Amino acid sequence: MTNQNVIVSDRKPILGLKTFTVSVSNSPLFSNSFPTYFNFPRRKLLKLLEVADKNNNNLVVAPKITSLIDSMRDSSPTRLRSSSHDSVSDSDDKTSWIVRFPSALDMFDEIVNAAKGKQIVMFLDYDGTLSPIVEDPDKAFITHEMRDVVKDVASNFPTAIVTGRAIDKVRSFVKVNEIYYAGSHGMDIEGPTNENSYGQSNERVLFQPAREFLPMIEKVVKILEEKTKWIPGAMVENNKFCLSVHFRRVDEKRWTALAEVVKSVLIDYPKLKLTQGRKVLEIRPTIKWDKGQALNFLLKSLGYENSEDVVPVYIGDDRTDEDAFKILRERGQGFGILVSKVPKDTNASYSLQGPSQVNNFLERLVEWKRKIVGEE
C-alpha cells in the first residue's frame, strides 16, 4: 500500500467511549485525491492500526490483512503468463500434480474395485462441483443432466450435498428430495423427505449445532450489508448459520477495502471466525464443526460410524472441503476427489476438472452399480 497520511483527533466521548476521526489520503482504495474521513471507537481504531509508524503517522496495512488479501488473490482465476519459460514451468507443475492426484475418471476401475462388496456413501459439494462457479451466486443453477444423475446416484447410494449455502437455497437449485442436505458448512443437516431405494425411511434427520448463533448471524448480515454497499459488486449472503461476503464481482483494487470492512466488523464478534472459499469470505461460528464433522455425523446417522464395509466418496472444489478430505484420510476409508483445473494443495486422493467431469464420473458410478446388481 502507498503512504497514507493519517490524522487522528480526539472528539467528545460518546456513551463513555472516546471516538476518533481518522483522515486517510493518498490511498489506492479511493478514486479521488481528497482525504477520506472515518469515525472509529478508540478500541476498534487501535485494533485496526495493528502496525503504525509513530514517527511520521503513516498507516501500514496490518500483517493479517495483507495475508488475507494474498489469500483472496490465490482464489482468483489463474492469470496468463507472458513468459514461455513460465508456461513450461506451469505445465511441468501440472503434470507432476496430476501424477500425485490422478483423474478419478482415469482411475475409475481402481476406485470401484476398492468398493466391491461394500456400501458407497456419496458426499457432494454444490458450487463448483455440481454447478459451475458463476458471477452471480443466485444464478448458480444445476443443469438438467446433472439433476438427473444426482437422482440416479441417490437411488443407488446414500447421498448428501454438503455446502456452505443455506439448505433452502440449495434445495431450490437441486430439487431432489431423496438426499441429505448439510447446509451452512454442515451446521444445518436435514435428511431425505421421501423413502428411497437404499432403505432409508421418511423420517427427517435434523441437526443444528450452531442454533444459538442464529440471532448473531442475522445481525452481522445486516451490518455488513450496510457497510459494504458502497463497494461495487460486493454481495452479502445469509446462509442461516453462517454468512458469505462474495467478491467475485468486486474490482481487485477494492479487495483491501472490503477485507478491512469485514475484519473491522468482526472485532465486535469474537465468537465468529473468518475463513475463505473461492472468491468468497466466509464468516462462521467458532464452534468445532465443519464439513468433515458433518461427514462423520451423517455416516453415524446411516449406521456406518464404525463399519469396515463402507466407502465414503466426497467430491468438492473448495478449501472448506479439505476438512472432509482430511477426515477420510484419518479414517483410512473412502476417497476424496478435488474438483480443480489448476494444481492445489489438497488432502484428496483424486481429481476432476469441473462439473462436466463430475457428471461423467457419477454416470459411470451409477452404471457400475446397476451392472453389479444385475449380476447378483
Side-chain angles (χ1 to χ4, degrees):
M1 180 180 288
T2 57
N3 286 343
Q4 301 172 74
N5 298 324
V6 176
I7 302 173
V8 180
S9 61
D10 290 338
R11 299 184 64 186
K12 294 181 180 180
I14 299 177
L15 297 178
L17 180 65
K18 183 171 286 188
T19 301
F20 294 91
T21 297
V22 180
S23 169
V24 182
S25 61
N26 298 327
S27 169
L29 304 180
F30 308 99
S31 58
N32 58 54
S33 59
F34 299 100
T36 302
Y37 296 91
F38 297 95
N39 291 327
F40 290 107
R42 178 186 179 91
R43 179 170 62 88
K44 182 170 288 189
L45 177 62
L46 293 177
K47 288 188 177 181
L48 286 174
L49 304 183
E50 295 181 31
V51 179
D53 183 345
K54 294 181 180 180
N55 294 324
N56 57 21
N57 287 327
N58 283 334
L59 175 65
V60 181
V61 178
K64 290 183 180 179
I65 288 291
T66 302
S67 177
L68 179 58
I69 298 304
D70 290 341
S71 181
M72 291 166 72
R73 290 194 179 100
D74 287 342
S75 72
S76 307
T78 304
R79 294 176 175 80
L80 295 177
R81 299 177 182 269
S82 57
S83 168
S84 60
H85 177 271
D86 286 340
S87 297
V88 172
S89 177
D90 287 349
S91 178
D92 290 343
D93 288 345
K94 187 169 185 178
T95 300
S96 175
W97 187 81
I98 288 294
V99 171
R100 293 176 58 204
F101 308 102
S103 167
L105 290 172
D106 293 341
M107 306 301 292
F108 184 81
D109 289 342
E110 177 179 287
I111 294 172
V112 295
N113 285 337
K116 284 183 178 179
K118 299 182 180 181
Q119 176 65 66
I120 291 178
V121 180
M122 291 299 306
F123 298 90
L124 305 166
D125 181 32
Y126 184 76
D127 294 279
T129 299
L130 298 182
S131 75
I133 297 293
V134 295
E135 290 295 310
D136 185 350
D138 288 335
K139 296 181 180 178
F141 302 118
I142 195 172
T143 65
H144 294 300
E145 292 79 11
M146 185 67 85
R147 181 177 295 110
D148 289 341
V149 77
V150 169
K151 286 182 178 178
D152 287 341
V153 169
S155 68
N156 287 278
F157 314 102
T159 302
I161 290 180
V162 187
T163 175
R165 300 264 203 156
I167 284 180
D168 290 344
K169 174 66 72 65
V170 173
R171 186 184 286 114
S172 71
F173 285 153
V174 180
K175 299 177 181 177
V176 176
N177 294 324
E178 299 85 2
I179 61 179
Y180 288 82
Y181 287 92
S184 302
H185 297 290
M187 289 181 284
D188 191 12
I189 301 176
E190 294 184 3
T193 56
N194 294 332
E195 186 172 353
N196 47 54
S197 60
Y198 51 81
Q200 301 304 314
S201 69
N202 201 36
E203 182 180 355
R204 174 177 291 188
V205 174
L206 180 63
F207 186 62
Q208 298 176 334
R211 183 187 293 271
E212 65 181 282
F213 291 90
L214 191 57
M216 184 183 298
I217 293 294
E218 292 175 346
K219 185 176 182 180
V220 173
V221 166
K222 292 179 181 178
I223 293 173
L224 282 173
E225 285 177 340
E226 180 64 26
K227 289 184 176 291
T228 61
K229 65 183 182 181
W230 64 274
I231 302 178
M235 175 183 171
V236 179
E237 182 179 12
N238 187 344
N239 296 318
K240 193 171 182 177
F241 294 105
C242 61
L243 66 98
S244 301
V245 181
H246 298 274
F247 60 91
R248 183 166 296 277
R249 294 188 289 180
V250 176
D251 190 304
E252 187 172 344
K253 294 179 181 179
R254 294 184 180 269
W255 286 3
T256 299
L258 180 62
E260 288 174 341
V261 167
V262 174
K263 294 280 285 185
S264 69
V265 169
L266 290 184
I267 288 173
D268 294 327
Y269 297 92
K271 291 185 178 181
L272 298 179
K273 64 181 178 180
L274 180 63
T275 59
Q276 192 189 338
R278 291 181 63 179
K279 284 295 189 74
V280 61
L281 299 175
E282 306 272 11
I283 297 173
R284 294 190 266 169
T286 54
I287 63 172
K288 294 183 179 180
W289 196 265
D290 51 38
K291 290 183 176 182
Q293 299 300 319
L295 182 151
N296 273 337
F297 174 84
L298 286 166
L299 288 176
K300 181 178 180 179
S301 299
L302 290 163
Y304 297 117
E305 181 180 21
N306 299 311
S307 174
E308 296 182 358
D309 295 325
V310 62
V311 179
V313 177
Y314 190 109
I315 307 178
D317 74 309
D318 199 78
R319 292 184 182 184
T320 57
D321 298 311
E322 291 297 326
D323 295 319
F325 296 154
K326 184 178 179 181
I327 287 293
L328 292 180
R329 285 198 176 272
E330 290 174 352
R331 291 178 62 98
Q333 288 180 305
F335 307 101
I337 302 176
L338 175 67
V339 182
S340 178
K341 292 183 179 180
V342 297
K344 295 180 180 179
D345 290 333
T346 182
N347 284 301
S349 301
Y350 302 101
S351 64
L352 292 168
Q353 293 198 11
S356 61
Q357 287 197 358
V358 173
N359 191 314
N360 293 341
F361 178 83
L362 296 179
E363 285 181 340
R364 290 183 63 180
L365 198 60
V366 170
E367 291 173 0
W368 170 81
K369 177 64 174 181
R370 287 173 176 169
K371 181 180 179 181
I372 292 296
V373 172
E375 294 174 350
E376 292 178 348

